[in-house]
Amino acid sequence: MTAISPTAISTAPSAEAPFGRIVTAMVTPFAPDGSVNLDLAARLADHLVREGSDGLVLCGTTGESPTLSWAEQHALFAAVKEAVGDRAALLAGSGSNCTAEAVEATAEAAALGADGVLVVVPYYNRPPQEGLEAHFRAVAAAAPGLPLMLYNIPGRTGCSLAAETTARLLDLPNVVAYKAASGTTEEVSRLRLLCGGERLAIYSGDDALTLPMLAVGAVGVVSVASHVAGPQIRELIQAFLAGDHALALARHEALLPLLQALFCTSNPIPVKAALELGGWPVGAPRLPLVAADSTVRERLSSILAALRPT
């Protein structure tokens, strides 16, 4: 049998992975006066696609959606859409803890030409499962032809979307993907057990768990680290898909110091510092987040230097 080279494996969008294998949760660049830097956002998006991102999420957690106005979010999406065109899947973060706002944002994303939306579990309210189901049904109905990626991140939202609830939502044809960010591979296994391995595309929501989650059935990753290590993450996923698990493990272990450093404090503080160290002046996060301190920057600088090709 002829061995398959990992580099021969495509990570582009497919029936199995509707948004591709590597979806970068993109930061929102800010100008020195604190406004959204649309020109830099467009250039960064183009760079990320060239570095291996199959898709981009705009205005998610990493994009600081809680501190962006809806007008800023729409302008950002339009600028990136113009820069990227159809070279990558573009998902808009349209979640909110107010169902009416999420419905409106999802309809607007469809009107702007999004390829999908990332819809986070409503935060702070801590709704019961019945409320979560009703919320996502309302959002899905706002744009019936627009694919939805459900986003479960209980560490930020204060509640968790149960696998049983997700399974009930699969009667909605536009619920196609799930970002699993509970910090455990068990979430993936439970979803596959109840939802079927082919009906729902599960993406790792934790960079450090990409390889373990692939091993239990995830199709890719919604990544922060791909801002600065896109080619290396692509190599990891391609190696796994090609069956070269030893190479995939080696790539995982080489990336682990970076993956840990990027989450040593609240995201996106470290990744914005990493981008600035790489020559991308994306600015500090908006308050109440703050810029990385010297300890974080020094740690990242050392790790990034070690990752650079010699």
Side-chain angles (χ1 to χ4, degrees), residues 12-46:
S14 62
E16 181 184 6
F19 304 114
R21 304 286 182 173
I22 305 169
V23 182
T24 298
M26 197 176 106
V27 304
T28 297
F30 296 125
D33 65 0
S35 62
V36 176
N37 189 332
L38 296 177
D39 177 67
L40 184 57
R43 289 190 282 119
L44 178 60
D46 176 74

Side-chain angles (χ1 to χ4, degrees), residues 40 43-45 47-48 227 272-283:
L40 184 57
R43 289 190 282 119
L44 178 60
H47 168 75
L48 293 172
H227 282 92
K272 280 200 151 184
L275 281 165
E276 296 223 325
L277 289 167
W280 290 93
V282 293

Side-chain angles (χ1 to χ4, degrees), residues 91-307:
L91 289 82
S94 66
S96 172
N97 64 339
C98 171
T99 300
E101 278 194 357
V103 164
E104 183 178 354
T106 300
E108 182 65 24
L112 289 170
D115 297 300
V117 286
L118 179 73
V119 190
V120 70
V121 167
Y123 40 88
Y124 186 76
N125 310 47
R126 299 186 67 186
Q129 294 301 310
E130 295 83 357
L132 293 177
E133 182 176 349
H135 174 86
F136 286 116
R137 287 189 180 279
V139 172
L146 187 65
L148 268 63
M149 179 186 287
L150 309 182
Y151 178 17
N152 191 40
I153 182 165
R156 284 187 180 260
T157 61
C159 67
S160 184
L161 180 63
E164 292 81 359
T165 306
T166 303
R168 290 196 296 273
L169 290 169
L170 293 187
D171 65 344
L172 301 168
N174 56 335
V175 173
V176 302
Y178 185 104
K179 179 181 175 183
S182 69
T184 171
T185 58
E186 183 182 354
E187 181 177 22
V188 178
S189 297
R190 184 72 177 157
L191 285 165
R192 285 177 56 84
L193 178 66
L194 293 178
C195 301
E198 297 180 358
R199 173 62 181 85
L200 186 70
I202 303 167
Y203 287 80
S204 173
D206 294 282
D207 272 298
L209 290 180
T210 299
L211 181 57
M213 287 196 173
L214 288 172
V216 295
V219 303
V221 59
V222 179
S223 176
V224 174
S226 52
H227 282 92
V228 292
Q232 294 93 326
I233 294 170
R234 177 174 289 274
E235 289 175 1
L236 184 161
I237 293 175
Q238 287 177 323
F240 179 85
L241 294 175
D244 192 340
H245 297 159
L247 178 58
L249 180 58
R251 294 292 180 265
H252 165 79
E253 290 174 341
L255 282 167
L256 197 56
L258 172 67
L259 307 184
Q260 292 171 334
L262 288 175
F263 294 92
C264 67
T265 186
S266 299
N267 180 43
I269 292 172
V271 72
K272 280 200 151 184
L275 281 165
E276 296 223 325
L277 289 167
W280 290 93
V282 293
R286 282 181 174 172
L287 290 171
L289 298 182
V290 294
D293 62 24
S294 59
T295 301
V296 171
R297 292 179 67 88
E298 289 168 8
R299 178 180 178 183
L300 286 166
S301 181
S302 175
I303 291 169
L304 291 169
L307 280 176

